[in-house]
Amino acid sequence: MRELQHQFGNRLEQRGLLHQGLFRPLRDQRQPDWQEAAKQRGQALLQPITELVLKFAQMAVPALLDAALESTRAPSGMFGKLFRRPAAPAEYKPALTSSRAQLLQLMADSEAAVRNLEESAHHLSLHGAALAVASKLVGGAADAALLDALVQRRTLIQQAVRQAELSILQMGQVRQQAADLIGQVSSFLTVTLPALEMAQAQGGS
């Protein structure tokens, strides 16, 4: 049985089925170490998208855009007219221009990150299918440890694929929000702000 285990591990290596440390040769018997390493590599696969989602949240573009739009409205009530001193709409132009550039860059970076993660998830799915076949082949073997190792690896791969799918879905939602914000910011910069500046110029003449 040890010979079968050794041969199976070699075949996986020859066929290129060892992916990102999630599918190591079965001759490695240090299960706790292998599982921890697999989890770390699984997290590394998701790291680019995780960082992009965090970056999008830190931009706080919706709050900036709301403040810019609020600056275009006249103060309401006596208290607001006396004490409210909002920033002029034009003062938001540099920050919004920078935010739009960052959003456009995020769209480009996220497209590449999603594509890479989709490819990784596809490869992992193939590995999971290979493990399912291997489990059936050794199902009747006397070596219970070998079968248990196969099951553990397949479970970890299934979890990694599911996490990748969830990350891709989350990034898709972020990309949609980013695209909407790009449109809103562009509208403020190219339509709302020029109209206000024109109105002010006409009022001052």
Side-chain angles (χ1 to χ4, degrees):
M1 184 54 62
R2 289 183 180 275
E3 180 63 24
L4 173 62
Q5 180 175 338
H6 180 75
Q7 291 178 1
F8 183 72
N10 287 339
R11 288 174 184 173
L12 293 179
E13 292 176 325
Q14 293 170 1
R15 296 178 184 179
L17 295 179
L18 307 184
H19 182 76
Q20 297 293 336
L22 292 172
F23 196 8
R24 297 291 299 276
L26 297 178
R27 58 179 175 270
D28 186 355
Q29 296 299 314
R30 295 174 299 175
Q31 293 298 322
D33 292 344
W34 181 89
Q35 290 175 353
E36 182 60 28
K39 290 178 181 179
Q40 292 177 358
R41 289 181 172 87
Q43 292 173 355
L45 286 176
L46 306 178
Q47 189 65 25
I49 284 184
T50 300
E51 291 178 352
L52 287 171
V53 171
L54 179 60
K55 181 179 180 180
F56 175 75
Q58 292 174 339
M59 287 181 189
V61 179
L64 177 62
L65 184 59
D66 286 344
L69 292 172
E70 182 64 23
S71 71
T72 66
R73 304 184 182 98
S76 59
M78 184 61 67
F79 182 84
K81 292 179 180 179
L82 290 175
F83 298 101
R84 183 185 170 200
R85 294 292 184 271
E91 295 180 26
Y92 289 94
K93 184 175 181 178
L96 286 173
T97 300
S98 175
S99 294
R100 181 174 59 178
Q102 293 179 49
L103 287 171
L104 289 170
Q105 185 61 52
L106 183 140
M107 292 290 284
D109 293 342
S110 62
E111 182 178 1
V114 167
R115 183 170 58 251
N116 291 337
L117 188 54
E118 286 176 339
E119 292 176 357
S120 295
H122 176 68
H123 290 314
L124 286 173
S125 296
L126 294 178
H127 302 338
L131 279 176
V133 173
S135 297
K136 291 181 180 180
L137 291 176
V138 301
D143 192 342
L146 175 59
L147 182 58
D148 182 62
L150 286 168
V151 172
Q152 289 185 34
R153 283 156 174 73
R154 187 184 179 194
T155 299
L156 283 174
I157 286 176
Q158 289 174 335
Q159 292 174 349
V161 170
R162 180 55 180 161
Q163 290 174 349
E165 292 172 345
L166 291 175
S167 291
I168 291 171
L169 178 61
Q170 183 183 29
M171 193 69 251
Q173 295 172 343
V174 169
R175 283 174 57 82
Q176 182 59 55
Q177 294 177 42
D180 292 342
L181 286 171
I182 289 172
Q184 294 175 39
V185 171
S186 295
S187 177
F188 182 87
L189 292 174
T190 61
V191 179
T192 303
L193 196 55
L196 289 172
E197 292 173 344
M198 182 179 295
Q200 290 175 354
Q202 292 176 349
S205 59

